[in-house]
């Protein structure tokens, strides 16, 4: 494919979730703080509108970070795109403060993201999917790339050129090994869309697999929404464990911790994960755990148990036959197997982190890798490449091995986006000098 189209941008953002929205804010504010030409940016997003895990926007679910860790505040407390500005614009600042809660609902945070997005609508193309990145036709220095974009409404592809790309395509839903989604076997990332189409009166037995936040929220929601159904929680642990968000542990999400992780030895990186994995993975907020336990206890008092905990169990196989899903469990307790039938199974079995290799296409062989075959990422979130590549390839996500635990989270997006914007601006200055 020829990469010589006319349209050229300083930055092309692939995906427009919170990370690249935060980058759009950082680039905008960079422009207002400096003189000279603005850094032009175009973002491509495959969803028809901005959507932040819409299928998990369950009623009353809360954010897992403070509202102050919004798109901008940690980088620029005076930003007009802060959560506080949003509250002010919405006329709710006083009531939010009176509510005395650091953790807004996910619904409110979504509303905030949509409010912020409205300031960048001219830079985002929705219903467009980036399918590949191409090297330029010219030989020698790779100072730009071609980004192939598929129009999901009209069909067809086009190419835009970019001096920098920022890949921010998000987490990838993960099913239990060897298992496929089906009409009655869903991943949690599909949940609400599927649930809305369900005939609730035909559902009696639901299984939810996993012991993380998604699983616990879905168990609670189904229990509350389908009063006639038994909900079986299949989990590898003895019971749901709490997500550690206590103050000292929470420091691993601070901006300084990124430097500590990045500059640390492999042994110190391993320690981050060993000691602090329970801040995020396979764990549940205290409030949801207590809610579920209260429901189970109330059931016991009434003598009508509807919550069934199949603990110390992993799903081995799953098959839909007619109106039923047959699930084989492997007991972690005694290695025995048992088979159960359900009307519906939801796999809240987590996500793989972003891995952009396939998307990078022709560019991928020019990207350097570490001794374990993972992409080498520099401190400014750009990929390390062979010397002929002078354009920037930045990642927002997929950097757990280099930048640590916050890589897939919102905690550090304001600072990270600012660092990427600074790096792009510096790259532009050095290009202008080299042309002079
Ligand atoms: P995100 O996944 O949000 O966005 C990526 C975007 O790229 C998507 O809109 C997708 O459609 C688009 N895209 C993908 N491929 C594309 C392509 N080829 N072309 C064009 N577009 C493409 N973290 C936290 O810190 N606090 C929290 O409260 C939560 N809550 C939470 C709830 C749930 C249900 C989940 C699953 C996860 C969280 N997280 C979280 C973690 C989560 O990763 C984080 O909130 C953000 O979604 C990260 O934002 P990104 O923009 O990086 O990814
Ligand atoms: P997760 O934390 O990775 O949990 C996945 C769970 O599935 C783990 O308990 C895992 O156990 C289990 N599992 C995997 N395969 C299994 C199998 N074959 N049989 C039984 N259990 C199996 O995923 P998540 O709950 O989706 O959370 C992902 C991210 O989204 C986290 O950052 C979380 O905080 C966030 N989130 C936030 C909110 C919110 O903001 N309110 C809501 C939902 C999710 P093993 O680890 O032992 O395999």
């Amino acid at each position: 494919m020829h990469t010589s189209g006319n349209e050229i941008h300083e930055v092309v953002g692939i995906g427009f979730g919170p990370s690249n929205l935060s980058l759009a804010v950082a680039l905008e504010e960079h422009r207002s703080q400096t003189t000279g030409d603005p850094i032009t940016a175009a973002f491509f997003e495959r969803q028809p509108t901005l959507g932040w895990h819409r299928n998990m926007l369950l009623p009353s679910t809360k954010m897992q970070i403070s509202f102050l860790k919004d798109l901008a505040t940690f980088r620029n407390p005076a930003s007009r795109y802060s959560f506080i500005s949003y509250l002010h614009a919405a006329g709710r600042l006083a009531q939010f403060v009176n509510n005395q809660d650091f953790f807004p609902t996910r619904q409110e945070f979504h509303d905030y993201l949509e409010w912020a997005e409205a300031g960048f609508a001219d830079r985002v193309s929705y219903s467009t999917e980036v399918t590949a990145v191409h090297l330029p036709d010219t030989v020698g220095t790779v100072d730009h790339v071609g980004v192939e974009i598929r129009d999901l409404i009209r069909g067809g592809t086009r190419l835009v050129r970019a001096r920098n790309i920022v890949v921010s395509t998000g987490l990838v839903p993960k099913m239990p090994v060897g298992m496929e989604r089906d009409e009655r076997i869903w991943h949690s990332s599909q949940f609400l869309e599927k649930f809305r189409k369900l005939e609730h009166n035909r559902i009696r037995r639901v299984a939810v697999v996993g012991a993380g936040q998604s699983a616990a929220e879905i168990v609670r929601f189904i229990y509350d929404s389908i009063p006639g159904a038994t909900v079986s929680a299949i989990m590898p642990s003895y019971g749901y464990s709490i997500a550690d968000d206590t103050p000292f542990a929470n420091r691993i999400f601070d901006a300084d911790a990124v430097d500590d992780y990045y500059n640390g030895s492999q042994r110190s990186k391993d320690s981050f994960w060993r000691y602090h994995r329970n801040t995020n993975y396979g764990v549940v907020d205290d409030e949801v755990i207590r809610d579920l336990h209260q429901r189970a206890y109330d059931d016991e008092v009434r003598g009508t148990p509807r919550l069934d905990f199949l603990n110390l169990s992993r799903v081995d196989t799953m098959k839909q036959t007619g109106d039923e899903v047959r699930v084989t469990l492997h007991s972690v307790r005694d290695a025995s197997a048992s088979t159960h039938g359900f009307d519906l199974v939801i796999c809240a079995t987590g996500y793989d982190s972003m891995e952009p290799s396939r998307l990078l296409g022709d560019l991928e062989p020019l990207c350097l890798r570490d001794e374990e075959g993972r992409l080498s990422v520099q401190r400014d979130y750009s990929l390390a490449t062979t010397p002929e590549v002078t354009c920037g390839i930045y990642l927002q996500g997929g950097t757990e091995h280099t930048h640590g635990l916050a890589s897939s989270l919102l905690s550090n997006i304001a600072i990270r986006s600012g660092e990427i914007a600074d790096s792009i601006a510096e790259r532009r200055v050095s290009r202008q000098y080299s042309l002079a």
Side-chain angles (χ1 to χ4, degrees), residues 56 61-62 64 106 176 209-214 217 236 280-282 313-315 348-351 409:
M56 282 296 290
T61 51
K62 306 285 278 296
Q64 298 200 295
R106 295 197 52 239
V209 186
Q213 184 72 17
S214 298
E217 288 182 1
N280 186 48
Y281 297 95
S313 301
R314 298 190 76 83
V315 169
T349 42
Y351 294 80
L409 302 178

Side-chain angles (χ1 to χ4, degrees), residues 65-126:
I65 47 161
S66 156
F67 69 94
L68 291 167
K69 292 188 171 178
D70 59 24
L71 296 167
T73 298
F74 271 45
R75 176 183 51 76
N76 174 17
S79 172
R80 67 162 290 251
Y81 293 99
S82 69
F83 192 78
I84 290 181
S85 288
Y86 154 78
L87 289 171
H88 187 260
R92 279 202 309 277
L93 184 53
Q95 292 319 317
F96 183 84
V97 173
N98 290 340
N99 207 36
Q100 299 185 15
D101 192 342
F102 255 41
F103 305 95
T105 61
R106 295 197 52 239
Q107 194 70 56
E108 186 176 22
F109 200 75
H110 200 283
D111 195 52
Y112 157 63
L113 294 176
E114 288 177 310
W115 169 86
E117 183 270 353
F120 301 95
D122 59 336
R123 269 151 266 188
V124 194
S125 304
Y126 289 101

Side-chain angles (χ1 to χ4, degrees), residues 32-51:
S32 64
Q33 285 155 14
T34 52
T35 49
D37 296 337
I39 299 175
T40 58
F43 296 90
F44 296 92
E45 166 57 53
R46 69 179 171 200
Q47 295 188 78
T49 55
L50 182 127

Side-chain angles (χ1 to χ4, degrees), residues 15 17-19 45-47 52-53 64 130 168-170 408-410:
S19 299
E45 166 57 53
R46 69 179 171 200
Q47 295 188 78
W52 176 58
H53 304 295
Q64 298 200 295
V130 172
S168 184
T169 49
S408 71
L409 302 178
L410 302 174

